[in-house]
């Protein structure tokens, strides 16, 4: 009771996002309708993510503008790199506060249905060949997302191991060189390939990967659960639980 709905942008979050948004100057001649406030549009985007409602069905009485305005602004901000800069900013704040666990990184993936198809989809090996996509995620030892990627549902998990390691941004915030490498990499049997173990070692990271055919009970699950928890939290957003977007860039920006 009395709590704000989850799609209302808190002041603390808006203070971080607003400086990152591209500034759009209004034309002096033939200015047309005034551009809707960015904060209200962001609330509309979050409303769609939380509820899973179609963009065109966003209720006008909420004051967030039309759903298509929200969709266009999301595409505009994604193209401008807003979300990448926000991710780096938040990582730097956590790093400065000593709240990132660089002792290990954990990698996993999750399959989602792609009902309308589109780029980065493929026949799912776990859903009777229906179109699907894979969300690949790399986190720190606490489950904080360090990098993520989107592929077709038929891509092998291990193909994203190196791209995710390379996608980790250089995180500043403390004295010394920026940090982007963890001490160990934890992964399940889906990443059991000696070739990739050697490549991970070459990056100065110790691979700790379960082997196929070995009995369960290796103890990795005690540490690997953090990435599974983070994936579950991401899929709490209904718009991410099922891929409705045909355009892969729009789905990635969510």
């Amino acid at each position: 009771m009395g709590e704000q709905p989850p799609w209302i942008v808190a002041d603390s979050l808006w203070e971080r996002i607003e400086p990152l948004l591209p500034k759009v100057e209004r034309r002096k001649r033939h200015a047309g309708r005034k551009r809707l406030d960015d904060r209200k549009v962001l609330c509309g985007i979050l409303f769609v993510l939380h509820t899973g409602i179609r963009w065109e069905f966003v209720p006008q009485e909420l004051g967030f503008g039309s759903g298509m305005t929200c969709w266009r602004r999301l595409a505009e901000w994604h193209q401008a790199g807003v979300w990448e800069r926000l991710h780096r900013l938040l990582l730097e704040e956590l790093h400065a506060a000593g709240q990132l666990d660089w002792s290990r990184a954990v990698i996993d993936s999750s399959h989602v249905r792609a009902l309308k198809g589109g780029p980065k989809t493929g026949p799912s090996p776990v859903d009777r060949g229906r179109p699907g996509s894979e969300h690949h995620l790399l986190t720190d030892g606490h489950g904080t997302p360090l990098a993520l990627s989107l592929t077709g549902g038929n891509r092998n998990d291990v193909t994203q191991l190196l791209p995710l390691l390379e996608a980790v941004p250089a995180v500043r915030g403390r004295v010394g060189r920026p940090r982007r490498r963890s001490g160990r990499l934890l992964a399940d049997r889906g990443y059991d390939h000696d070739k990739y173990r050697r490549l991970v070692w070459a990056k100065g990271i110790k691979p700790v990967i379960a082997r196929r055919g070995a009995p369960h009970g290796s103890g990795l699950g005690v540490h690997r659960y953090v990435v599974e928890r983070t994936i579950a939290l991401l899929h709490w957003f209904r718009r991410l639980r099922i891929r409705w977007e045909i355009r892969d860039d729009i789905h990635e920006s969510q």
Side-chain angles (χ1 to χ4, degrees):
M1 295 295 293
E3 293 185 359
Q4 293 276 24
W7 48 82
I8 299 301
V9 179
D11 292 339
S12 57
L13 178 59
W14 182 244
E15 290 173 359
R16 292 170 170 83
I17 294 178
E18 185 180 22
L20 305 178
L21 300 178
K23 305 301 180 185
V24 179
E25 298 292 336
R26 194 179 185 193
R27 292 181 299 180
K28 295 182 179 180
R29 298 185 60 186
H30 310 294
R33 184 181 300 177
K34 186 177 179 180
R35 183 180 171 93
L36 188 64
D37 180 69
D38 284 336
R39 186 170 184 175
K40 292 181 178 179
V41 174
L42 181 57
C43 290
I45 293 171
L46 293 176
F47 178 80
V48 171
L49 294 185
H50 276 275
T51 64
I53 194 173
R54 290 171 60 174
W55 292 102
E56 58 267 31
F57 292 161
V58 173
Q60 292 289 309
E61 56 268 23
L62 291 176
F64 302 153
S66 72
M68 297 317 297
T69 294
C70 297
W71 185 92
R72 285 192 294 269
R73 204 75 62 90
L74 175 63
E76 174 187 323
W77 292 342
H78 176 66
Q79 187 175 9
V82 170
W83 311 126
E84 293 178 3
R85 296 200 301 273
L86 176 62
H87 181 224
R88 187 191 297 266
L89 172 65
L90 295 176
L91 288 178
E92 289 177 348
E93 289 186 9
L94 291 171
H95 185 46
Q99 295 183 14
L100 287 180
D101 182 2
W102 292 102
S103 66
R104 57 179 176 265
V106 194
I107 189 172
D108 205 353
S109 68
S110 178
H111 177 269
V112 296
R113 292 187 65 184
L115 296 183
K116 296 184 177 181
K120 297 184 181 178
T121 64
S124 169
V126 298
D127 193 17
R128 301 182 181 180
R130 295 187 178 97
S133 294
E134 287 277 345
H135 293 161
H136 303 266
L137 181 65
L138 180 75
T139 74
D140 78 331
H142 294 318
T144 304
L146 297 176
L148 55 87
S149 66
L150 177 72
T151 67
N154 56 336
R155 291 291 299 278
N156 194 305
D157 291 348
V158 76
T159 61
Q160 294 303 296
L161 194 155
L162 292 178
L164 284 175
L165 290 176
E166 294 167 358
V168 177
V171 181
R172 303 179 184 275
R174 308 192 104 182
V175 176
R177 298 177 62 184
R179 190 73 188 261
R180 62 180 306 176
R181 188 176 64 191
S182 299
R184 296 183 297 162
L185 174 69
L186 278 58
D188 64 18
R189 289 168 173 79
Y191 301 85
D192 179 21
H193 293 268
D194 288 338
K195 168 188 172 181
Y196 289 94
R197 281 189 174 88
R198 291 191 294 269
L199 292 173
V200 171
W201 269 117
K203 289 183 171 294
I205 302 172
K206 178 181 179 181
V208 183
I209 303 172
R211 290 193 177 274
R212 294 186 181 93
H216 289 273
S218 63
L220 282 178
V222 176
H223 304 292
R224 283 194 59 259
Y225 82 94
V226 295
V227 68
E228 297 169 355
R229 179 186 62 190
T230 301
I231 289 174
L233 289 173
L234 290 174
H235 288 176
W236 182 67
F237 293 91
R238 295 184 180 181
R239 196 77 185 183
L240 294 179
R241 200 180 308 162
I242 297 177
R243 177 177 168 179
W244 294 96
E245 309 291 347
I246 296 177
R247 284 178 51 175
D248 56 306
D249 60 327
I250 297 297
H251 184 71
E252 289 174 322
S253 66
Q254 297 172 354

